[in-house]
């Protein structure tokens, strides 16, 4: 319990130090599933609600460390965490182990997720590999997601992307896009657009890859004329992508350039969904 209290106190201090003068209350919402983490924050300044700059890697890592410390051999790990912080230094944490999480895009001061994106089923499978849950701790919504038979996709490529079928890294990306389409499907059918699918996959790539992996995707895309030939990145190939995006402007530009082919491929895979009969 002492270690848990120390880690929570450290995270509260890290958050406090990153808030600009003039705030009175702040709420951070952190969601971590599989290989992706998202954090959003709402801050009350005088009478207006504003959104603080994105958290840095130290803050992300403190949340990840906290989740790992709290993980249980039977219950698994919580999906969502909330930190309410007062200007006086008082703070309170809340954790949700059982409700279906969504990726926060915008949150309010009470910690409610106002705008969100759906978490892909593949992320839950990856999460359970890392933090297993016994049957009694798998909520019904999660069980339904895990046993979903999934959509069927035609194996069709747009002409300008046909050559990507010969590149294993891009085949993995296509599988990621299909997982995102599947995650955005409900009883009424596919409920996401190409932009949402591309955003989900771009975020997952940022969170789960290294510079070398992104550079291979970029070189393939450049060779096919899908992205411009931009200046070389300076980051080592083994550097985590999320770290390089913060420190290497050239790498960030190359990473951002990949969004357009991701968007076009997302539209392709939405068109590849085979209608149910």
């Amino acid at each position: 319990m002492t270690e848990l209290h120390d880690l929570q106190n450290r995270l509260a201090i890290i958050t406090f130090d990153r808030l600009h003068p003039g705030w009175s209350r702040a709420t951070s919402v952190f969601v971590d599933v599989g290989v992706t983490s998202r954090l959003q924050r709402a801050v009350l300044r005088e009478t207006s609600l504003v959104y603080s700059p994105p958290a840095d890697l130290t803050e992300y890592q403190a949340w990840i460390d906290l989740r790992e410390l709290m993980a249980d051999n039977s219950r698994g790990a919580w999906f969502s965490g909330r930190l309410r912080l007062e200007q006086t230094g008082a703070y309170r944490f809340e954790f949700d182990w059982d409700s279906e999480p969504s990726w926060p895009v915008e949150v309010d001061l009470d910690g409610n997720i106002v705008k969100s994106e759906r978490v892909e089923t593949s992320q839950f499978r990856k999460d359970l590999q890392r933090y297993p849950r016994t049957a009694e701790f798998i909520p019904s919504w999660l069980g339904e997601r895990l046993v979903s038979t999934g959509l069927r996709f035609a194996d069709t490529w747009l002409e300008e992307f046909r050559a990507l079928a010969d590149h294993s890294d891009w085949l993995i990306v296509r599988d990621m896009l299909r997982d995102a389409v599947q995650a955005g499907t409900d009883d009424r059918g596919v409920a996401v657009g190409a932009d949402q699918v591309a955003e989900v996959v771009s975020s997952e790539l940022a969170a789960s890859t290294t510079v070398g992996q992104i550079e291979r995707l970029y070189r393939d895309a450049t060779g096919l004329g899908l992205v411009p030939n931009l200046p070389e990145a300076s980051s080592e190939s083994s550097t985590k992508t999320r770290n390089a995006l913060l420190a290497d402007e050239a790498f960030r530009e190359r990473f951002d350039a990949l969004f357009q082919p991701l968007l076009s491929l997302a539209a392709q895979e939405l068109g590849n969904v085979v209608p149910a009969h």
Side-chain angles (χ1 to χ4, degrees), residues 179-232:
D179 282 344
V181 173
Q182 175 67 63
T185 301
D186 54 30
D187 294 339
R188 295 166 294 180
V190 177
V192 289
D195 55 342
Q196 294 170 292
V197 172
E199 286 284 359
V200 166
V201 173
S202 180
S203 295
E204 186 170 350
L205 288 172
S208 63
T209 62
T210 63
V211 167
Q213 291 170 306
I214 295 300
E215 285 292 305
R216 287 198 300 272
L217 291 172
Y218 180 80
R219 285 195 295 269
D220 291 342
T222 303
L224 295 173
L226 300 176
V227 295
N229 194 358
L230 297 171
E232 292 285 334

Side-chain angles (χ1 to χ4, degrees), residues 151-159 161-166 170-172 174-175 178 265 268-275:
L151 298 172
R152 291 178 56 238
F153 293 85
D155 191 20
T156 302
W157 291 87
L158 297 173
E159 186 60 36
F161 297 120
R162 192 178 305 279
L164 292 179
D166 297 325
W170 279 99
L171 291 178
I172 293 172
R174 187 178 68 163
D175 286 342
R178 290 182 173 187
L265 284 171
Q268 169 187 279
E269 294 313 311
L270 285 168
N272 275 340
V273 173
V274 178

